[in-house]
Amino acid sequence: MKMNGARIMLECLKKEGVDTVFGYPGGTVINIYDELFSFKEIRHILPRHEQAGTHAADGYARATGKVGVAIATSGPGATNTVTAIATAYMDSIPMVIVTGQVPTALIGNDAFQEVDIIGITRPCTKHSFLIRDVKDIATIMKKAFYIARTGRPGPVLVDFPKDIQVAMGEFSYPDSVEIRSYKPTVEGHPRQVEKACKMILEAHKPVLYVGGGVVLGDASEQLTVLARKLGIPVTTTLMGLGSFPGDDPLSLGMLGMHGAYCANMAMTHSDLIIAVGSRFDDRVTGKLATFAPHAKIIHIDVDPTSIKKNVRVDLPIVGDVKDVLAQMIKFTDKMKDKTVEFAAAMEPWHEDISAWKDKHPISYKSSTTTIKPQFVIQKLRELCDENAIISTDVGQHQMWTAQFFKFNSPRTLLTSGGLGTMGYGLPAAMGAQAAFPGRQVITICGDGGVQMNIQEMATLVQNKLPVKIVILNNNFLGMVRQWQELFFDKRYSQTCMELPIDYIKLADAYGAKGFLATKPDEVEKVIKQGFAEKGPVIMEFKIAREEKVLPMVPAGASLNEMVLNA
Amino acid sequence: MQHTISVMVENEFGVLSRVASLFSGRGFNIDSLSVAPTNEEGLSRMTIVTRGDDKVLEQINKQLNKLIDVLKVIDFTDGSGIEREMALIKVTAEDESRAEVLRIVDIFRAKIIDVTPKSYTIEATGNPLKIDAILDLLRPLGLKELVRTGSVTIGRGAKGWKG
Ligand SMILES: Cc1ncc(C[n+]2csc(CCOP(=O)(O)OP(=O)(O)O)c2C)c(N)n1
């Protein structure tokens, strides 16, 4: 059957199992929207800004593990998606972004609403395509989804000129893709895996250093089995939180700039670091010259470019982390007697670790007069559903969430790690809630970042997405203020928000509910009220204004040079 | 250290800019770059001359391989390749210098491809070091214009790039 290009695009999305897309109409996608009008198999959610729509697709992808889909018109619509695409790229999130483009005959003419979006997004996409013929749509879409979700996942942009959307063609969706120049390595090399296991069993002070790759690769189960079986302590990056149960005795919590004392000390004193789906980011390693001075390093990652990029590696294993960890479990199963010996020899290491844990646990000074943000996080954890999904914005509240929430399962924390994008939290929660209408979805934001996409309140109300918006209001751009306090003599240049906003009225204006807590004894009540509401809610907490995120490794310092209380 | 790398790429829309922006975005150097289609349908071959220590070269290699349109990356630094470059050189050649130019052309087995009463245009082919050498000799006589293709490199021996 012949149909137009716009319809073919929708049929492709359906074939890929897409049930929800986030998009915003405009001149060069109007034909797609015209087809969508009568296309009932796909739910379309209209955000109030393309950046938010694309973040929502990202949140949908992180929460489900499926490919998120966003649509935007050419020119300003397309450029509005760029921050969200870069956010997804830095955290390796599978997405397909379809942008309208001016008709092929006009490309390059500086036509109305023409931008070279492929050029603009080249450094922040995994790949991109310009569709130039209606008969290529299906193969390009098949490739786009395949590339987005395989290997190290990432966003793929498909630029779709208007004349191709109108052109008529046959639809037939290919069953398989073959890209001869793209063959991601999936299976870890068995000999490398064997070597890794032997190295582990010879170590006395091993640490598993786990990143977002384990979440993305759905390998939490394998990681947990291996760690528990061998009794190896686990520290995770911000992106790795939830991949190993935060309340397990082997958990050291997060490492790095705002990591736990015990995690950073363990890295510094370790004799073997097993990096799994993590990339030795500068926020994790601190000063490279003094990073893990005594350790050999095994690095397991699906992306060869991550290996040896920042640190020396003694044993690289390229492969899907799930496959490699499963191989490691099997291999160590065969070495029973060795593993018993290994566990016994690790006794002193576990003693060191408990001593570090006891010496400086993640903690804060509680107060009966002002609301401590950490207290709010703990209360949220206590009162929320066990399978709640939490998104955060970027700043102090993000770090407090990472430190105090104790995530137990993967895909329950959605946060912008690599790019650190303020304005991410609310739309990402929106995407997760669209994917899981029945689950509790909470976004934890600062009063700065929440305003960067506050317009999405309208989308939440309109689409009955009951996201619980928690605002930890310090009336500061808190994280920057903290740096100014510590490193710039308290010169609070442009970090005080001054104008107080009435968030309760704001919620009301959008047709949502708002609750405010100004004293510690109101915290629990407000959370309960918020959680009890059927629709979207703002819960505002006026927190201790100059509370700091601690511990902190100052930028450029070594991991063990933590500021513990300042 | 200088490295010569061959990159087999799918002849897709925008592939050259992907490779070029990879180098600029990650702060890698490009000393020269040449690209043209190969005997295989849809496949082009780039030769890139770059510089860096082992760690940088390893990243260049891996990052190139990571590009979706890159089929294969071959590093010829170990002397496993034969490297050639062509230069077109316009030199001033009047009176007594005309004979000197011809002598140099002869020694380097280059060719005169255009003649005027005041100039010669020379085509020189060879290893880039040889091109440097002929240029050193011609420069004092008056170099008016120079265009170099950048290196192209092929592996030694009977095997093709696919082995
Ligand atoms: C889009 C964007 N702009 C600027 C920054 C720099 N930045 C990082 S944290 C921060 C302060 C965030 O303040 P707020 O949202 O109030 O959260 P808090 O730190 O107070 O919890 C800023 C400005 C950023 N990360 N993203």
Side-chain angles (χ1 to χ4, degrees), chain A residues 22 52-62 66-70 93-95 427 431:
Chain A
F22 303 85
T54 313
H55 281 319
D58 166 312
Y60 176 98
R62 291 188 205 225
K66 296 198 286 188
V67 179
V69 180
I93 305 306
M95 292 218 295

Side-chain angles (χ1 to χ4, degrees), chain A residues 83 393-398 400 419-423 445-450 452 472 474 476-480 497 543:
Chain A
T83 301
D393 216 84
V394 169
Q396 291 183 306
H397 62 277
Q398 177 188 32
W400 286 317
L419 201 65
T421 309
M422 283 172 72
C445 300
D447 54 305
V450 78
M452 286 204 178
L472 298 182
N474 49 17
F476 272 124
L477 296 173
M479 186 56 100
V480 182
M497 304 296 270
I543 59 165

Side-chain angles (χ1 to χ4, degrees), chain A residues 217-227 321-323 325-326 329:
Chain A
D218 291 318
S220 294
E221 195 187 313
Q222 287 73 12
L223 171 78
T224 309
V225 169
L226 186 74
V321 289
K322 186 173 183 165
D323 170 81
L325 291 171
I329 293 170

